[in-house]
Protein backbone atom coordinates (compact mmCIF):
# COMPACT_ATOMS: atom_id res chain seq x y z
CA UNK A 1 0.00 0.00 0.00
CA UNK A 2 2.76 2.44 0.93
CA UNK A 3 4.73 1.51 -2.18
CA UNK A 4 1.68 2.02 -4.40
CA UNK A 5 1.09 5.42 -2.82
CA UNK A 6 4.72 6.40 -3.37
CA UNK A 7 4.50 5.37 -7.03
CA UNK A 8 1.28 7.34 -7.49
CA UNK A 9 2.85 10.42 -5.88
CA UNK A 10 5.90 10.12 -8.11
CA UNK A 11 3.71 9.78 -11.20
CA UNK A 12 1.81 12.91 -10.15
CA UNK A 13 5.05 14.84 -9.61
CA UNK A 14 6.27 13.81 -13.04
CA UNK A 15 2.98 14.79 -14.69
CA UNK A 16 3.21 18.20 -13.02
CA UNK A 17 6.77 18.58 -14.24
CA UNK A 18 5.82 17.67 -17.81
CA UNK A 19 2.89 20.11 -17.72
CA UNK A 20 5.06 22.92 -16.33
CA UNK A 21 7.75 22.29 -18.93
CA UNK A 22 5.15 22.41 -21.70
CA UNK A 23 3.70 25.66 -20.38
CA UNK A 24 7.18 27.14 -20.06
CA UNK A 25 7.95 26.18 -23.66
CA UNK A 26 4.71 27.77 -24.84
CA UNK A 27 5.52 30.97 -22.93
CA UNK A 28 8.99 31.06 -24.49
CA UNK A 29 7.53 30.52 -27.96
CA UNK A 30 5.03 33.33 -27.47
CA UNK A 31 7.76 35.72 -26.33
CA UNK A 32 9.98 34.80 -29.29
CA UNK A 33 7.06 35.20 -31.68
CA UNK A 34 6.16 38.62 -30.26
CA UNK A 35 9.79 39.73 -30.48
CA UNK A 36 9.98 38.66 -34.11
CA UNK A 37 6.71 40.40 -35.02
CA UNK A 38 7.91 43.58 -33.33
CA UNK A 39 11.33 43.34 -35.00
CA UNK A 40 9.74 42.92 -38.42
CA UNK A 41 7.35 45.78 -37.74
CA UNK A 42 10.39 48.00 -37.26
CA UNK A 43 9.73 51.38 -35.76
CA UNK A 44 5.97 51.07 -36.05
CA UNK A 45 4.29 52.71 -33.10
CA UNK A 46 0.76 51.77 -34.09
CA UNK A 47 -1.38 51.68 -30.95
CA UNK A 48 -2.99 48.44 -32.13
CA UNK A 49 0.41 46.79 -32.48
CA UNK A 50 1.53 47.98 -29.06
CA UNK A 51 -1.74 46.77 -27.54
CA UNK A 52 -1.32 43.37 -29.21
CA UNK A 53 2.27 43.15 -27.94
CA UNK A 54 1.22 43.94 -24.35
CA UNK A 55 -1.63 41.43 -24.52
CA UNK A 56 0.52 38.65 -26.01
CA UNK A 57 3.28 39.18 -23.44
CA UNK A 58 0.69 39.06 -20.67
CA UNK A 59 -0.55 35.73 -22.04
CA UNK A 60 3.05 34.47 -21.97
CA UNK A 61 3.53 35.69 -18.41
CA UNK A 62 0.34 33.94 -17.28
CA UNK A 63 1.40 30.71 -19.01
CA UNK A 64 4.95 30.73 -17.58
CA UNK A 65 5.18 28.45 -14.53
CA UNK A 66 8.63 29.64 -13.43
CA UNK A 67 7.51 32.50 -11.14
CA UNK A 68 5.05 30.28 -9.25
CA UNK A 69 7.60 27.45 -9.00
CA UNK A 70 10.17 29.86 -7.56
CA UNK A 71 7.56 31.22 -5.14
CA UNK A 72 6.87 27.64 -3.99
CA UNK A 73 10.57 27.06 -3.39
CA UNK A 74 10.87 30.28 -1.40
CA UNK A 75 7.80 29.37 0.63
CA UNK A 76 9.26 25.98 1.51
CA UNK A 77 12.65 27.48 2.36
CA UNK A 78 14.44 25.71 -0.48
CA UNK A 79 15.32 28.93 -2.29
CA UNK A 80 16.34 32.18 -0.59
Amino acid sequence: EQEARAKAEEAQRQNTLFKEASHWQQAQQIRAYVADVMRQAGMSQLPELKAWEAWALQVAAEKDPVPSRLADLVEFGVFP
Side-chain angles (χ1 to χ4, degrees), residues 50-68:
K50 289 297 197 180
W52 175 83
E53 176 188 31
W55 168 80
L57 291 176
Q58 180 61 38
V59 170
E62 291 170 3
K63 195 77 163 161
D64 191 345
V66 172
S68 63

